[in-house]
Amino acid sequence: MMAAGEAAELGAETLLLEKMDRPARKLRITGKGRCNLTNVAPLSAFLKHFRPNDRVLRRAFSQFFSSDLMAFFEGLGVRTMTERGGRVFPVSNEAQEVADALVKWVRDRGVILRPRIAVDRLVVKDGRVTGVEAHRSSRRSDGHRVHRRATELVHSADAVVLATGGASYPSTGSTGDGYRMAERVGHSIVPIRPALISLITAGDIASRCQGASLRNVAARVWIDGRKRAEAFGEMLFTDYGLSGPIVLSLSGLVVDALRRDQEVTLSIDLKPALDERKLNARLLRDLDGHGKQQFWVLLKRLLPRALIPVCIDLTGIPAEKQGHQVTSRERKRLRAWLKDFRFEVTGHRPFAEAVITAGGVDMKEVDKRTMASRLVEGLYFAGEVLDVDGDTGGYNLQAAFSTGWVAGRSAARLPRGV
């Protein structure tokens, strides 16, 4: 929609083909229905939240960035607010408001919006795109069963923007169509895999803590015994393993390691603000100051209730033991566990549950200034179909809006009939 609206803004006759019954279905559920539009981090910090190469979006962001996006939505009547971590949401906390405003803006700009039309392939002749082949699906019921009929369609165009999304949340229409279409006209596709996805862990420890959320903790990824990445913030225990913002941010690295059959461990530092010396002093103070209290009671000062039985089991310190009876060796085990609560990662949740898709159209084959194909004249790309993926926190939506803005305007400026 951003690409279509901007192309129409520059005077191009613009047709938006949407295979679902209405546009922006995935946008309507982003941010748990609140729509984390962008992030106010400065450009240098913003770019560091993308893999595999943060530089590929610099040109797009230099043309349309977070401040531009917020001003854009303010102009549509969607007021925004900034929350912890620089995350930007609509004041209404309603993703629906964002999607509806975009649809109205597109139509007001004169874009012809046609839902329920699925594009099947790009039409390319003599090295340039000339249109698309598509079909319209219709449903008719005779009272006993539903009859589906597909009508073949061909749409001619001087330029085509491929903005089909990724392969996650297929119920919203993101079923990987764009990858197949791009590959068919000669583009290389970096293998797609789930990103920003919850992780599955061995054993029952995570399930015993199910529902407990942690704030201000550090998570570290160890691959084949080497620390590879770290994130700080919030996480959540589930019946199958680990989730929450910092786990999702680290999941791309984990998924790639699992695909290579490497051994992956996730370590949680429950007290990252305290180094070993300060944590030891804190434990001594609690154990001595409340020496007559039982160990499990003392743990209430350190841990959420759900983690207390797990701590007792994994440290081997008897729950009924009084604080002043805890030995230095037991205190050392407790300190080590608080700083290094480990989980063996055995897998990840299904692709359909991934927030975004990693992989896609190889950025080496895309002009970073215009989002134009380097292989097919008149073909442009925007959003998740590209091999660009970022952390959770508003980064991916900004990438979609920015690449859409650039692609739409670049397509509109393409000389007609060349």
Side-chain angles (χ1 to χ4, degrees):
M1 285 194 291
M2 179 62 84
E6 287 300 320
E9 184 86 24
L10 292 185
E13 184 179 348
T14 307
L15 174 66
L16 177 55
L17 301 178
E18 166 61 58
K19 82 173 183 180
M20 306 302 285
D21 57 349
R22 63 174 179 168
R25 290 187 61 154
K26 191 171 183 181
L27 183 65
R28 296 172 195 273
I29 63 172
T30 58
K32 298 180 180 178
R34 298 181 61 215
C35 194
N36 185 183
L37 284 166
T38 185
N39 196 290
V40 296
L43 180 58
S44 58
F46 203 104
L47 288 168
K48 291 178 181 178
H49 288 274
F50 286 87
R51 298 187 321 138
N53 187 341
D54 58 13
R55 292 175 294 176
V56 299
L57 289 173
R58 183 177 292 276
R59 292 290 185 89
F61 288 158
S62 67
Q63 297 176 69
F64 187 83
F65 195 42
S66 53
S67 58
D68 304 300
L69 184 65
M70 289 186 284
F72 169 80
F73 277 109
E74 291 280 348
L76 300 186
V78 179
R79 295 171 53 230
T80 60
M81 60 184 178
T82 303
E83 296 188 356
R84 183 168 43 86
R87 297 173 296 174
V88 177
F89 293 88
V91 170
S92 66
N93 279 322
E94 293 290 339
Q96 192 81 17
E97 180 193 20
V98 175
D100 290 345
L102 272 174
V103 172
K104 183 179 184 302
W105 172 71
V106 162
R107 287 182 166 143
D108 287 347
R109 291 300 173 273
V111 174
I112 301 170
L113 174 56
R114 292 186 179 169
R116 300 189 184 90
I117 296 182
V119 175
D120 300 310
R121 76 180 189 94
L122 303 168
V123 180
V124 176
K125 184 177 180 180
D126 298 328
R128 78 177 189 81
V129 71
T130 60
V132 299
E133 289 184 0
H135 69 271
R136 178 192 293 115
S137 293
S138 60
R139 300 178 63 192
R140 178 178 58 83
S141 175
D142 59 8
H144 300 286
R145 58 180 178 173
V146 173
H147 301 272
R148 288 182 171 82
R149 182 179 63 189
T151 304
E152 299 300 322
L153 304 167
V154 176
H155 296 279
S156 298
D158 292 303
V160 173
V161 179
L162 198 60
T164 50
S168 59
Y169 287 98
S171 61
T172 66
S174 298
T175 53
D177 302 335
Y179 307 128
R180 293 185 286 272
M181 284 187 270
E183 190 171 36
R184 191 169 180 178
V185 298
H187 273 280
S188 304
I189 305 299
V190 177
I192 63 169
R193 60 263 188 221
L196 299 186
I197 193 165
S198 300
L199 303 176
I200 299 171
T201 58
D204 66 348
I205 297 299
S207 62
R208 289 174 60 187
C209 303
Q210 180 181 353
S213 60
L214 302 177
R215 289 188 175 185
N216 302 320
V217 297
R220 301 180 180 95
V221 173
W222 294 77
I223 298 175
D224 285 347
R226 294 178 58 193
K227 189 174 81 169
R228 295 294 304 276
E230 182 175 2
F232 176 83
E234 302 175 25
M235 63 165 291
L236 172 72
F237 294 97
T238 69
D239 61 336
Y240 52 79
L242 307 173
S243 189
I246 59 174
V247 173
L248 297 184
S249 292
L250 295 168
S251 65
L253 184 67
V254 172
V255 169
D256 288 347
L258 292 173
R259 285 164 60 91
R260 295 189 296 265
D261 292 324
Q262 293 177 292
E263 183 180 289
V264 181
T265 300
L266 195 139
S267 167
I268 303 169
D269 183 347
L270 296 168
K271 301 296 177 183
L274 302 175
D275 60 22
E276 293 280 348
R277 183 180 60 81
K278 290 180 179 178
L279 179 58
N280 188 54
R282 161 76 186 276
L283 295 178
L284 279 171
R285 187 167 60 249
D286 285 356
L287 293 170
D288 291 343
H290 307 278
K292 293 185 178 181
Q293 289 186 351
Q294 295 176 323
F295 180 61
W296 72 271
V297 177
L298 288 170
L299 286 178
K300 292 180 181 179
R301 302 172 183 274
L302 290 170
L303 299 169
R305 185 176 297 272
L307 267 65
I308 291 176
V310 171
C311 174
I312 291 168
D313 288 349
L314 295 181
T315 61
I317 304 172
E320 309 301 325
K321 197 169 195 176
Q322 292 185 328
H324 64 79
Q325 294 177 328
V326 174
T327 67
S328 60
R329 181 169 294 181
E330 289 172 330
R331 189 178 72 251
K332 183 178 180 181
R333 288 205 304 269
L334 173 60
R335 186 174 70 244
W337 180 82
L338 289 169
K339 299 293 287 184
D340 189 12
F341 182 15
R342 292 204 167 205
F343 291 84
E344 177 191 351
V345 181
T346 58
H348 56 75
R349 295 294 289 172
F351 207 144
E353 295 181 18
V355 177
I356 61 168
T357 305
V361 175
D362 193 333
M363 290 299 295
K364 295 187 185 71
E365 300 170 355
V366 178
D367 186 329
K368 316 304 186 295
R369 299 166 300 173
T370 62
M371 294 296 124
S373 165
R374 295 185 183 275
L375 309 181
V376 180
E377 182 73 24
L379 176 61
Y380 298 81
F381 300 99
E384 204 172 344
V385 73
L386 294 163
D387 179 29
V388 174
D389 62 283
D391 294 333
T392 182
Y395 303 101
N396 291 289
L397 269 186
Q398 180 66 57
F401 283 122
S402 293
T403 54
W405 189 93
V406 171
R409 296 178 74 86
S410 300
R413 292 185 177 121
L414 182 73
R416 305 300 96 181
V418 299

